[in-house]
Amino acid sequence: MSIRKSLQFTAALVAAGVLSAGPVGAKPNGIDVSNNNHSINWNSVRSSGMVFSWAKATEGTYFTDGYLAGNMKNGKNAGIYMGAYDFARPDLDTPQAEANYFWNVASSYIKADGKTFVPMLDFETFNGHVGASSYGDWANQWCNAIVSKAAAKGLSVTPVIYTSSCSACNLSGISHSWGAWLANYNGENPQSGNPWNICTSCEVWGSGAWDIWQYTSGLSVSGISGSVDGDVYNGSTSQLIDQFLVGGSFQAAVELKPSPITYTNGHRVVFATQDNGAAPWDSHTTGVSGNGTWTGEWLGDNNAQMCASAVVPVLNTNGYMEIFCVGDDLGYLRHKWNTGEGTAWSTWQTVGLDGTNNYVGNPAVVLRQDGGVEVFVHNDNGGSVQHYYHGSFSATWNDGSLGGSIGSDCAAIINANGYLEVFATDVNGNLVHRWNTGPGTAWNSGGWVSLGGGNKGRPCVVARNDGGVEVFVRNTDNSVNHYYHGSFSDTWGSGSVGGTVASNISATQNASGHIEIFAITSDGNLWHNWNNGTGTPFNGWAHISLSVTLQSDPTAIVNSDGTTEVYGRDAATSNVGHTYNNAGTWTAWSSLGGPG
């Protein structure tokens, strides 16, 4: 899939630095590939900064790309969002016949696993339109056929259409619901330019509209022999995922949020996964609050262990720090640990070698009062939840399924009465929960119980000091829903705390008993809202002014000295940074220098 251009023009772009494969600014980079690129080392591609890719599946009704299977599997395993595409031959086939051919080849790779992007139609041939009144009608029919076929499989897709900026004139009547992918090798910087410096009369998606821009066919990327098509998305990584991730019985856009925690002496550490390279990392300091001196370290095993999820920590009762993630090697749940602050880390180990479960999304981890650890993670078989647990650090791991059709990561708490309770949003938008009454007891009968509908994304849960529970989750209109009760046996109440947010919520309870919630808006700004204690109203959303915009969910923590600290990822660099409340004033954003 490429539009021809001269070798001299490619060389000029390379000399100008436009064709750098690494991440530059906030717009995520990607590539599109076919049999012309032969065998690809996808781990190297990911390490070079690529976030997404589409791989050729078919051309017309006469060609199947033999590299499709390897590209889809290995690209996903490397942590790249992968989609499949059809090179359209409207001059030879009806749109229904070509959609049938594409679906027969590609459907097994199109699934709601949190790793797959929607199908793409590559429209470059304009020599006739069989079975359609126009090229736009042909494209609409093909896309509608794919939407129907996906729906019959329980999937939700909205295809994207690729063409050149000037060829878009041929697609008059195209539905604006299909994504717009434009090719134009105009020499502009992909992070600041756009594909509409020519042929502006061809803007059939609307004035200046584009989602993906193929800005070159001469990109040099580690892991690929020769040049490859280079693409950039017109937005943030989270917006890219929201727009193009296949939806269905399980949908989880993996959010690589930072995960802070403190040792028993108050010393702080924050864990994260490299945004483009999937390498786990931490930064730690001996300070209990403030900026201090932070030291970063990579946590892979000779660069062999990569994480396809956030790194989630727990401090065991014996002082061991233990971290969990979903590995990028077939999606096993992995963990590693040290034996106390400053000690060496173990190698990564598999938690329960469950060959039938290919896990996706971020694990939820909770420490029981008796020293046991509970871990909850999705498998990709309809979004059911797998539960791992042990009674002490040296004990054998056990596991079992909690079932469900869950559409978000889980959140788990231990109630004041020792009950273990886990929350999630199901595929129908219901906030649901399950519970047991303590270590070794059975889970509630009847499965997942709904607390209310109209939700999306991962819930955030706070176990209050007085035994009550507060749950915050995004409404489908991007306001924030609030669920709460005073004790486990009380009836749940619910309401809205308003706002218009673009991230999942993070919440804390400070030493005064105030609940404070944090979220990111669509422009990358950090906002917060708070009450003055149990039963009091929330005060309204207020902006925390920072020198950066953020791309990840925020993560808040109350430090041992009572300071509230918020961590996030800078949209420009993907590095982790933080701000904290110093005597009522939020400090300037401070970068911790990694992991990028």
Side-chain angles (χ1 to χ4, degrees):
M1 175 180 125
S2 62
I3 306 297
R4 291 184 178 273
K5 65 188 188 67
S6 70
L7 293 176
Q8 291 86 349
F9 187 56
T10 301
L13 288 176
V14 172
V18 172
L19 301 192
S20 169
V24 181
K27 292 180 180 178
N29 296 304
I31 57 175
D32 53 89
V33 300
S34 71
N35 56 299
N36 292 326
N37 301 109
H38 307 293
S39 295
I40 295 172
N41 184 325
W42 284 100
N43 287 323
S44 296
V45 171
R46 177 66 185 269
S47 297
S48 72
M50 296 299 108
V51 175
F52 65 92
S53 178
W54 268 262
K56 186 173 184 177
T58 57
E59 182 170 332
T61 58
Y62 57 84
F63 175 77
T64 297
D65 194 312
Y67 289 89
L68 175 67
N71 285 334
M72 295 296 287
K73 176 183 176 181
N74 297 328
K76 290 180 185 182
N77 285 344
I80 294 176
Y81 292 99
M82 297 294 300
Y85 77 85
D86 171 43
F87 186 97
R89 291 304 305 266
D91 55 329
L92 301 178
D93 308 306
T94 67
Q96 188 65 52
E98 190 154 322
N100 290 343
Y101 187 83
F102 170 79
W103 192 254
N104 288 338
V105 171
S107 62
S108 62
Y109 308 104
I110 301 170
K111 49 188 177 179
D113 57 0
K115 307 173 185 179
T116 307
F117 276 179
V118 300
M120 182 263 283
L121 181 65
D122 178 1
F123 221 120
E124 301 183 46
T125 301
F126 300 96
N127 297 320
H129 38 79
V130 178
S133 60
S134 66
Y135 295 114
D137 179 43
W138 198 100
N140 286 337
Q141 288 190 48
W142 187 94
C143 290
N144 283 322
I146 296 301
V147 169
S148 296
K149 291 176 182 297
K153 191 180 175 182
L155 303 176
S156 173
V157 303
T158 302
V160 57
I161 296 176
Y162 165 96
T163 193
S164 72
S165 298
C166 293
S167 293
C169 277
N170 295 297
L171 297 177
S172 177
I174 197 76
S175 171
H176 289 190
S177 61
W178 317 132
W181 187 336
L182 283 306
N184 180 5
Y185 308 149
N186 57 19
E188 295 182 11
N189 189 302
Q191 290 295 318
S192 57
N194 74 85
W196 285 121
N197 69 314
I198 56 172
C199 301
T200 54
S201 62
C202 298
E203 295 170 316
V204 294
W205 277 275
S207 178
W210 63 277
D211 296 308
I212 299 176
W213 172 22
Q214 185 189 89
Y215 59 89
T216 181
S217 62
L219 191 65
S220 178
V221 175
S222 177
I224 299 178
S225 177
S227 60
V228 66
D229 297 334
D231 306 292
V232 66
Y233 176 72
N234 189 21
S236 68
T237 299
S238 61
Q239 290 168 329
L240 167 77
I241 294 167
D242 284 344
Q243 180 171 359
F244 292 123
L245 194 72
V246 172
S249 58
F250 171 71
Q251 180 178 5
V254 180
E255 178 56 64
L256 301 179
K257 63 184 180 66
S259 301
I261 195 171
T262 60
Y263 284 98
T264 53
N265 59 9
H267 295 176
R268 293 167 292 160
V269 58
V270 59
F271 297 89
T273 300
Q274 188 180 23
D275 190 38
N276 293 308
W281 168 93
D282 80 48
S283 187
H284 49 273
T285 179
T286 56
V288 298
S289 65
N291 284 328
T293 300
W294 290 79
T295 302
E297 63 177 332
W298 296 102
L299 298 175
D301 297 340
N302 297 319
N303 295 321
Q305 173 62 35
M306 299 295 187
C307 291
S309 76
V311 178
V312 182
V314 65
L315 184 65
N316 288 277
T317 53
N318 58 5
Y320 290 16
M321 185 69 73
E322 190 172 10
I323 57 177
F324 298 82
C325 78
V326 173
D328 68 353
D329 49 350
L330 302 179
Y332 290 124
L333 179 64
R334 305 290 199 191
H335 71 142
K336 73 183 307 182
W337 59 90
N338 65 26
T339 55
E341 184 180 10
T343 63
W345 288 92
S346 71
T347 58
W348 285 95
Q349 306 290 327
T350 299
V351 179
L353 189 59
D354 240 315
T356 59
N357 291 303
N358 188 12
Y359 298 121
V360 292
N362 298 316
V365 185
V366 66
L367 178 70
R368 298 198 313 255
Q369 292 99 323
D370 66 358
V373 172
E374 312 270 346
V375 185
F376 303 89
V377 64
H378 281 109
N379 67 54
D380 67 356
N381 182 21
S384 62
V385 172
Q386 196 76 4
H387 171 216
Y388 289 93
Y389 55 96
H390 63 48
S392 65
F393 183 82
S394 59
T396 301
W397 285 95
N398 300 290
D399 72 288
S401 176
L402 297 186
S405 296
I406 302 304
S408 78
D409 294 335
C410 295
I413 58 167
I414 302 291
N415 286 284
N417 57 6
Y419 289 15
L420 172 61
E421 194 167 8
V422 58
F423 298 81
T425 302
D426 72 13
V427 296
N428 297 312
N430 297 305
L431 177 65
V432 294
H433 68 142
R434 292 201 68 179
W435 63 90
N436 65 28
T437 57
T441 62
W443 289 89
N444 66 295
S445 61
W448 294 88
V449 176
S450 174
L451 297 176
N455 304 294
K456 66 179 181 179
R458 170 179 51 82
C460 178
V461 187
V462 175
R464 294 198 315 255
N465 301 334
D466 63 3
V469 172
E470 312 265 347
V471 186
F472 302 90
V473 62
R474 273 192 296 171
N475 189 291
T476 52
D477 67 3
N478 292 319
S479 63
V480 178
N481 289 334
H482 176 210
Y483 299 83
Y484 51 91
H485 65 49
S487 67
F488 186 83
S489 59
D490 285 350
T491 301
W492 283 90
S494 64
S496 174
V497 293
T500 304
V501 304
S503 74
N504 295 313
I505 312 303
S506 183
T508 63
Q509 182 176 37
N510 63 27
S512 301
H514 301 178
I515 299 292
E516 190 168 11
I517 61 176
F518 301 84
I520 306 298
T521 49
S522 59
D523 54 7
N525 286 313
L526 177 64
W527 290 69
H528 68 140
N529 198 347
W530 65 97
N531 67 20
N532 296 320
T534 301
T536 63
F538 279 79
N539 288 280
W541 290 92
H543 179 219
I544 299 176
S545 181
L546 304 173
S547 59
V548 300
T549 56
L550 303 180
Q551 69 174 18
S552 73
D553 289 350
T555 310
I557 188 172
V558 176
N559 294 315
S560 61
D561 66 350
T563 303
T564 299
E565 194 164 13
V566 181
Y567 296 81
R569 301 185 78 130
D570 180 347
T573 64
S574 294
N575 284 337
V576 172
H578 66 138
T579 180
Y580 56 93
N581 194 319
N582 183 16
T585 301
W586 289 95
T587 62
W589 188 256
S590 177
S591 175
L592 301 184

